[in-house]
C-alpha cells in the first residue's frame, strides 16, 4: 500500500546531523507509527514520505525552515535560577526544564550567574539541518476510530 492521507505508517528512522553523526534512532526498538495527513509529523518528513511504499528505504535532508525552524536570538532570556528544574548546579550547555504559560519546556542553559541564568528557549534542533534515514515498515488504512482521534493506535502509536 502507498502512503497517502488517512493511512497509518510504521517506520524506522535514524536522525543525523550536518556531520553525519547519529543524533537519534529507533534502532533496536519497535517502529514508530503515525497517521499520515493529520499534522502528527514534521511537515518536511511527511512530504518526503508521501507516496512511498511499504519496504521503501530512503534519506531526506531538511533545511532548518523545513525542520524545527531557524534560531531566534531574541529567545535567549534571563530567568531566576530558582526556576530551572532538573539539577542542583547549573553549567552552560546543560538542559533544564522551565514552566511557561504554555506548560513545561526544555531550555539550554547559556550563562550562569549567582542568582540569574540566561537560557535559550529555541527548540533544541532549531537552526539545524537534519538528515533522516527512513525505512517504511508497513502502510495500512486508518480505522474509523483512528481518524476520529486524529492519531494512530497500536504498536508504535497511541496506547489507550
Ligand atoms: Zn486514540
Amino acid at each position: 500500500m502507498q502512503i497517502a492521507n488517512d493511512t497509518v505508517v510504521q517506520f524506522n528512522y535514524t536522525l543525523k546531523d550536518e556531520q553525519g553523526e547519529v543524533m537519534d534512532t529507533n534502532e533496536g526498538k519497535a517502529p514508530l507509527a503515525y497517521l499520515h495527513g493529520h499534522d502528527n509529523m514534521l511537515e518536511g518528513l511527511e512530504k518526503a514520505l508521501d507516496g512511498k511504499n511499504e519496504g521503501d528505504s530512503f534519506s531526506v535532508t531538511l533545511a532548518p525552515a523545513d525542520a524545527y525552524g531557524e534560531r531566534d536570538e531574541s529567545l535567549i532570556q534571563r530567568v531566576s535560577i530558582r526556576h530551572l528544574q532538573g539539577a542542583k548546579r547549573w553549567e552552560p550547555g546543560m538542559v533544564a526544564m522551565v514552566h511557561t504559560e504554555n506548560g513545561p519546556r526544555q531550555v539550554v542553559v547559556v550563562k550562569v550567574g549567582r542568582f540569574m541564568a540566561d537560557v535559550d528557549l529555541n527548540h533544541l534542533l532549531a537552526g539545524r539541518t537534519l538528515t533522516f534515514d527512513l525505512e517504511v515498515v508497513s502502510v495500512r488504512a486508518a480505522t474509523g476510530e483512528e481518524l476520529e482521534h486524529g492519531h494512530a493506535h497500536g504498536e508504535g502509536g497511541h496506547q489507550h
Side-chain angles (χ1 to χ4, degrees), residues 42 62-72 122-130:
L42 211 53
L62 302 179
D66 296 319
Y68 292 95
E70 302 288 352
R71 286 184 49 79
D72 178 354
N122 284 288
H123 189 282
L124 298 183
L125 295 175
R128 305 294 298 267
T129 296
L130 304 172

Side-chain angles (χ1 to χ4, degrees), residues 84-101:
L84 303 181
Q85 298 185 344
K88 285 229 170 69
R89 281 182 56 84
W90 293 100
E91 283 173 29
M94 290 174 79
V95 176
M97 280 301 255
V98 293
H99 287 277
T100 70
E101 296 154 358

Side-chain angles (χ1 to χ4, degrees), residues 26-41:
N26 76 315
E27 212 183 296
K29 294 180 224 148
L32 296 183
Y34 78 97
L35 176 59
H36 193 84
H38 291 257
D39 292 331
N40 291 323
M41 180 65 72

Side-chain angles (χ1 to χ4, degrees), residues 37-112:
H38 291 257
D39 292 331
N40 291 323
M41 180 65 72
L42 211 53
E43 202 185 323
L45 267 191
E46 203 164 61
K47 239 187 249 165
L49 282 155
D50 199 67
K52 294 287 194 295
N53 286 286
E54 208 164 290
D56 284 353
S57 288
F58 63 101
S59 292
V60 58
T61 297
L62 302 179
D66 296 319
Y68 292 95
E70 302 288 352
R71 286 184 49 79
D72 178 354
E73 296 310 320
S74 74
L75 290 177
I76 294 180
Q77 291 178 10
R78 187 154 292 182
V79 300
S80 166
I81 286 175
R82 287 183 301 127
H83 290 138
L84 303 181
Q85 298 185 344
K88 285 229 170 69
R89 281 182 56 84
W90 293 100
E91 283 173 29
M94 290 174 79
V95 176
M97 280 301 255
V98 293
H99 287 277
T100 70
E101 296 154 358
N102 305 316
R105 61 181 289 176
Q106 288 186 310
V107 301
V108 176
V109 177
V110 179
K111 208 166 101 187
V112 187

Side-chain angles (χ1 to χ4, degrees), residues 142-156:
T143 65
E145 194 186 42
E146 286 173 322
L147 292 175
E148 211 173 282
H149 289 196
H151 55 229
H153 292 159
E155 194 183 23

